Amino acid sequence: DGAGRLPGVAAVLTARDVPGLNLCGAVAADRPVLCGDVVRYEGDAVALVAAETPEAAALALDRITVEYEDLLPLLDIEAALSPGAALIHGDGNVFKEIHVSWGDIEAGFDRADWVVEEGFRTQSQTHVYLETEAALSFQDETGRLTVVATGQFPQFDRTQVARALGLDEDAVRVLNPSNGGAFGGKEEITVQVYPALVTLLTGRPAKIVLGREESIMAGTKRHPMCFQYKAGVRSDGALTALSVRIKNDTGPYLSYGHVITNVALTHACGAYSIPDARLDAATVFTHGSFGGAFRGFGSSQPAFAVEVFMDILAERAGMDPIAFRLKNRVAQGRPMVGNKVLEISAPVAELLETARAHPLYAERERIRAEQPDLPPGRRRDCRTGVGVALSMTKSFQTPQ
């Protein structure tokens, strides 16, 4: 509708204007720089306007018309895995599965006095860095295309920018100044290609800065996950077997999704020694938020799930939560996830005993009973309590 002819507008670009590979992604090139035939989530970009002022750019955006054919959105794991669900990518909605086991899990459940099953779910989470995604581009004194961007891996960014622009990597330079926050969210390429594309096609410097709403819509998120835990427990509180099923919602594109699934599976047993176990995990595509790296990198979600499950098991066994953890903790010489024996000392018992001796833990029942006097509108959602959680980061990963 004449967007490109408005005063102050330098270019209106679409997928057909991308001179190189119209795909990006740190691990797999599966996310369009500018969408052509298919839009997979709300944060996908379909057109790019370069203008001399923000006002001119906004006016040109209003002149752009896009005709969509609505597709049934698959916004969560259950929808994406439902029978007959549309394929988000041609190979299916499950990118890959991981299966790890050790011992004899059925024998482990047979040794148990009771078996407990619980399910858990974690949500998407955005980084909310103080500095949103931003980049500027220009041709330096040698004519080399230079991008200055809020990123974490300039070498990865350069590879993807050069690939999208159809240039040799030597023709592109990427600089990462100090970031105003990243936390993993700027490991994946976000806005770097857009100003570079404008500079390549117009010869003019360009800059893009996402607003907060745009950052939340289009930026990467912590992956939502679903967990199904099943444990065998003896009457003395000893764990005999553990089964864990994990489904990781990576959103419409892979990014670091399967690497994070692998890390989640590696941490699914927590800091506990399990004699017989089976761990199954899958990376699932959905039309939901775009999953990427986030501090903790796949260990935070299972830490929540396994620790809540340990509290449930302790209650079922009639044991103090710390006593239950002491009973099943990993220790030097004991097997841990993957049936790997811990060869170094791990002062888990000392940590738990220190927590048990703390006055807060001794008074946890009183604190829970004496809820603060909150305004009526908040009383349903706010609780005061004292809990304990145990976690560890492992320096190895299970097979992918």
Side-chain angles (χ1 to χ4, degrees), residues 123-164:
Q123 78 284 2
S124 176
Q125 184 180 3
T126 189
H127 305 74
V128 198
Y129 357 79
L130 290 179
E131 179 188 30
T132 60
E133 297 86 344
L136 62 88
S137 61
F138 57 91
Q139 292 177 331
D140 68 13
E141 62 278 4
T142 68
R144 183 169 51 176
L145 198 152
T146 301
V147 179
V148 183
T150 58
Q152 292 180 248
F153 287 114
Q155 64 273 32
F156 290 177
D157 295 353
R158 184 179 72 160
T159 296
Q160 295 183 71
V161 169
R163 187 171 59 195

Side-chain angles (χ1 to χ4, degrees), residues 72-312:
L72 179 66
L74 307 174
L75 298 179
D76 55 32
I77 291 170
E78 289 79 7
L81 298 181
S82 62
L87 299 183
I88 296 172
H89 292 279
D91 295 333
N93 294 340
V94 175
F95 171 74
K96 195 174 181 181
E97 296 181 353
I98 315 173
H99 306 284
V100 177
S101 63
W102 60 92
D104 186 336
I105 192 166
E106 294 305 325
F109 284 128
D110 289 342
R111 294 196 309 273
D113 291 308
W114 59 80
V115 175
V116 181
E117 291 190 64
E118 292 287 346
F120 306 95
R121 181 187 297 268
T122 64
Q123 78 284 2
S124 176
Q125 184 180 3
T126 189
H127 305 74
V128 198
Y129 357 79
L130 290 179
E131 179 188 30
T132 60
E133 297 86 344
L136 62 88
S137 61
F138 57 91
Q139 292 177 331
D140 68 13
E141 62 278 4
T142 68
R144 183 169 51 176
L145 198 152
T146 301
V147 179
V148 183
T150 58
Q152 292 180 248
F153 287 114
Q155 64 273 32
F156 290 177
D157 295 353
R158 184 179 72 160
T159 296
Q160 295 183 71
V161 169
R163 187 171 59 195
L165 301 186
L167 301 175
D168 292 335
E169 288 193 23
D170 288 345
V172 177
R173 180 176 62 159
V174 173
L175 305 176
N176 286 162
S178 298
N179 283 324
F183 321 117
K186 294 172 183 174
E187 289 187 20
E188 182 60 84
I189 196 166
T190 53
V191 297
Q192 291 87 330
V193 176
Y194 301 132
L197 181 61
V198 171
T199 295
L200 178 71
L201 297 181
T202 69
R204 303 176 66 176
K207 177 179 72 174
I208 184 171
V209 180
L210 295 190
R212 180 61 62 191
E213 184 175 345
E214 293 170 324
S215 175
I216 292 174
M217 180 188 302
T220 61
K221 310 289 186 297
R222 190 188 297 280
H223 292 76
M225 294 188 189
C226 294
F227 299 87
Q228 191 66 36
Y229 274 79
K230 177 181 177 181
V233 189
R234 290 203 317 247
S235 58
D236 64 355
L239 290 167
T240 63
L242 184 68
S243 168
V244 185
R245 297 197 303 273
I246 304 172
K247 295 173 184 176
N248 179 24
D249 180 352
T250 193
Y253 305 111
L254 183 61
S255 185
Y256 293 94
H258 190 63
V259 183
I260 287 171
T261 301
N262 184 64
V263 174
L265 183 141
T266 304
H267 290 77
C269 295
Y272 303 102
S273 182
I274 314 295
D276 302 292
R278 178 174 177 82
L279 312 177
D280 302 289
T283 303
V284 182
F285 289 117
T286 73
H287 291 125
S289 59
F290 176 28
F294 199 124
R295 180 155 296 179
F297 202 77
S299 66
S300 304
Q301 298 94 319
F304 156 75
V306 71
E307 285 305 293
V308 174
F309 192 48
M310 290 300 144
D311 281 344
I312 292 170

